[in-house]
Amino acid sequence: MITKKSILEAIEIVKKRNPAQPEFLQAVTEVFESVEPAIARRPDYIKNKILQRIAEPERIIIFRVPWMDDRGEIQINRGFRIEMSSAIGPYKGGLRFHPSVYIGILKFLAFEQVFKNALTTCPIGGGKGGSDFDPKGKSDNEVMRFCQSFMTELCRHIGPNTDVPAGDIGVGAREIGYLFGQYKRIRNEFTGVLTGKALAWGGSLIRPEATGYGSVYFSDEMLKTRNDGLKGKVCTVSGSGNVAQYTVEKLNQLGAKVVTLSDSEGMIYDPSGIDEEKLTFVFELKNVRRGRISEYAEKYNNVEYYQGKRPWGIKCDCAFPSATQNEITADDAKTLVKNGCILVSEGANMPTEPDGVRVFIENKILYGPGKAANAGGVATSALEMSQNAMHLSWTRDEVDRRLREIMTEIHRNAYETAKEYDYPNNLVVGANIAGFTKIADAMIEQGLV
Ligand code: NDP
Ligand code: 2IT
């Protein structure tokens, strides 16, 4: 009773203090409500005001990013870095460049990142950053000038033992390169301050693949609990960026068939499956030509393109949302269940609306929440940091083996924690409590800071 009251009060405080940040409130509410059984066992969490402290970023940096476009016109964007929690390691998390970016989106992402990173077994705190800059339609030179201006300010706040950014939506290998170059130039220091770097200058093998591969490994662990596997499963994937591409690659390797991809304009449905050759076309289309997924339907026969649609109306066994937040509504979730979907593994961050999550849980779907299922990306970033610190590089097999082990351990931890707290098979409760208790205990041990 006291526990419930304390949680509701904490949610009220977060709501009052952060008006007009619905995504942040959504993420906080989900975690706070689901950790109730852990707080009920630990009155010291209430006494130490862990909920209030954990939802308040340690530091937020907001800055002007002026740059000049190819026509010589001045452009102004806004840059952010949310340093959410350093309880278990330096701040770690991606940068998102997308016109929808504002402080509420980045705070939700930073908050999720804290628990995700705690689950990885690696010593990394949580952060997130980015800008409302839209890389779409910009020349490489414009992207470079923007990245240089962004890093000119950011470089005073980050460092290999302080805060280590990486990619997210709109930030891939090209952007990380420009950001790294400018950091090195200003600080005169060649160091592992960013992850997702290219191989020749400190990057790790498997980091580009890691989020997608990890989400598939996680789905495999979920299926194993029902003595099932991915072979022969029909899968829908949303998005067509970094996470989606490597999700398709690994699903193909494990004998599944992927029938959809999407972008912000629409989706393609290819009933015969996106095989290796077609995936090679997608890599080139999205990463080199930076085109639209609709071109896939123009290139291949018997493929349908649905403008403005997401893949959730297509019948499938397993769904891999890998585009963005709140891309699965409660109605989408009902449609998936009705069509026989047995598994959802979230490559994206918070892709399912809260009512959709409830539909999955009530229907006993194998549901892997993003902070567990997509943790392979940041975990492999932590492996990149380790390699940088040791000034060496592991082989592809070595990194992939470690990634596989980490995903297995995240699943085991979430699964066992759910059981321990009497919510068997509920990986939302399991992942949230496992991440939360690790952070909360570290905070108490380190005193009131
Ligand atoms: P990319 O920029 O490589 O790709 C994003 C894809 O999602 C594109 O196909 C994009 O379409 C689509 N998309 C983006 N915003 C929207 C939107 N508002 N509505 C519909 N579609 C959208 O990003 P990533 O693949 O890296 O990231 C995808 C998701 O995975 C994000 O939620 C991210 O936070 C999460 N994630 C990423 C990790 C990583 O290591 N990269 C790690 C863990 C999670 P379009 O091209 O039309 O914009
Ligand atoms: O959401 C995420 O976990 C990421 N975008 C990856 C972060 C990282 O530091 O690799």
Side-chain angles (χ1 to χ4, degrees):
M1 220 31 222
I2 295 174
T3 308
K4 188 155 219 117
K5 194 164 155 269
S6 304
I7 290 174
L8 289 175
E9 275 170 14
I11 292 174
E12 262 327 292
I13 291 170
V14 176
K15 212 184 256 181
K16 271 215 189 101
R17 192 170 270 169
N18 304 280
Q21 296 180 6
E23 299 86 0
F24 179 56
L25 206 62
Q26 181 183 335
V28 169
T29 305
E30 189 216 78
V31 170
F32 281 15
E33 286 178 349
S34 66
V35 298
E36 187 183 334
I39 296 181
R41 289 189 193 177
R42 291 285 300 269
D44 56 329
Y45 288 169
I46 294 178
K47 188 168 146 270
N48 280 282
K49 300 215 169 160
I50 293 296
L51 294 180
Q52 287 91 326
R53 285 161 66 188
I54 220 165
E56 190 61 28
E58 289 180 13
R59 189 176 301 102
I60 299 183
I61 301 139
I62 305 184
F63 50 99
R64 177 170 67 195
V65 190
W67 57 283
M68 197 166 277
D69 69 19
D70 286 347
R71 293 168 304 168
E73 197 172 314
I74 289 171
Q75 301 286 342
I76 312 291
N77 285 99
R78 188 173 281 181
F80 303 88
R81 187 72 185 166
I82 316 289
E83 296 183 335
M84 199 76 193
S85 168
S86 61
I88 62 168
Y91 309 108
K92 181 84 196 87
L95 297 171
R96 177 176 291 191
F97 292 170
H98 193 273
S100 63
V101 163
Y102 77 107
I103 196 165
I105 293 263
L106 296 178
K107 278 170 67 183
F108 117 63
L109 288 163
F111 185 78
E112 289 284 291
Q113 198 81 47
V114 172
F115 304 97
K116 182 196 304 193
N117 293 5
L119 290 169
T120 62
T121 71
C122 307
I124 41 178
K128 201 88 189 189
S131 175
D132 56 1
F133 173 74
D134 186 359
K136 263 196 216 105
K138 304 287 189 302
S139 70
D140 286 352
N141 276 329
E142 287 176 320
V143 171
M144 181 178 74
R145 286 196 292 273
F146 172 79
C147 287
Q148 290 179 339
S149 181
F150 184 86
M151 185 53 89
T152 300
E153 174 59 35
L154 188 68
C155 75
R156 347 164 180 256
H157 308 287
I158 62 176
N161 297 309
T162 310
D163 185 351
V164 184
D168 193 78
I169 290 176
V171 178
R174 173 183 61 171
E175 290 74 19
I176 293 294
Y178 296 147
L179 291 163
F180 183 80
Q182 184 73 347
Y183 180 90
K184 187 177 56 141
R185 178 192 194 188
I186 298 179
R187 302 279 297 253
N188 191 25
E189 200 183 0
F190 194 111
T191 167
V193 67
L194 293 160
T195 58
K197 301 184 291 298
L199 212 53
W201 39 274
S204 174
L205 287 160
I206 299 286
R207 177 62 190 89
E209 293 89 338
T211 311
Y213 279 19
S215 163
V216 177
Y217 292 153
F218 194 86
S219 70
D220 202 33
E221 293 301 316
M222 290 197 285
L223 286 164
K224 272 191 203 159
T225 64
R226 295 191 185 166
N227 296 317
D228 203 350
L230 281 161
K231 203 167 176 51
K233 294 282 187 294
V234 174
C235 303
T236 48
V237 175
S238 67
S240 48
N242 172 268
V243 179
Q245 292 165 14
Y246 288 104
T247 297
V248 177
E249 182 168 281
K250 185 51 75 179
L251 284 169
N252 283 342
Q253 287 170 9
L254 297 183
K257 179 163 96 167
V258 181
V259 295
T260 66
L261 280 172
S262 68
D263 62 21
S264 55
E265 286 164 35
M267 62 161 280
I268 55 110
Y269 173 43
D270 182 350
S272 64
I274 302 164
D275 61 19
E276 207 183 311
E277 184 241 312
K278 292 169 179 169
L279 184 61
T280 305
F281 169 78
V282 174
F283 277 118
E284 200 267 336
L285 169 71
K286 301 302 290 187
N287 307 347
V288 183
R289 286 196 285 125
R290 299 180 191 275
R292 311 309 303 157
I293 201 64
S294 57
E295 289 181 45
Y296 182 104
E298 290 159 21
K299 164 108 177 151
Y300 294 107
N301 292 330
N302 304 318
V303 176
E304 306 202 35
Y305 176 67
Y306 297 92
Q307 187 149 12
K309 286 263 186 299
R310 297 165 181 162
W312 318 127
I314 302 293
K315 191 174 159 49
C316 67
D317 301 309
C318 307
F320 294 81
S322 309
T324 194
Q325 65 277 353
N326 293 329
E327 55 171 317
I328 298 182
T329 63
D331 282 345
D332 293 330
K334 285 180 199 150
T335 305
L336 281 162
V337 171
K338 186 169 75 77
N339 285 340
C341 174
I342 57 160
L343 176 148
V344 176
S345 184
E346 295 185 337
N349 284 305
M350 205 169 77
T352 310
E353 291 187 351
D355 287 342
V357 174
R358 277 186 271 279
V359 170
F360 293 146
I361 301 284
E362 278 161 20
N363 285 280
K364 304 205 168 4
I365 294 289
L366 292 166
Y367 170 65
K371 63 171 80 65
N374 72 39
V378 74
T380 308
S381 280
L383 300 179
E384 183 172 330
M385 289 165 70
S386 301
Q387 293 168 80
N388 291 164
M390 293 188 290
H391 301 282
L392 53 73
S393 305
W394 290 325
T395 62
R396 196 180 158 84
D397 281 352
E398 170 77 14
V399 184
D400 195 32
R401 183 182 61 75
R402 285 176 188 262
L403 169 62
R404 173 93 232 198
E405 279 172 12
I406 289 170
M407 296 318 295
T408 304
E409 173 55 22
I410 294 172
H411 178 269
R412 189 205 60 76
N413 190 3
Y415 185 84
E416 294 298 331
T417 306
K419 199 152 62 172
E420 185 193 330
Y421 284 87
D422 248 358
Y423 284 78
N425 300 308
N426 185 330
L427 299 182
V428 175
V429 170
N432 283 340
I433 291 183
F436 175 80
T437 51
K438 184 171 174 182
I439 303 291
D441 292 345
M443 288 170 73
I444 292 172
E445 283 155 11
Q446 291 171 32
L448 187 55
V449 291

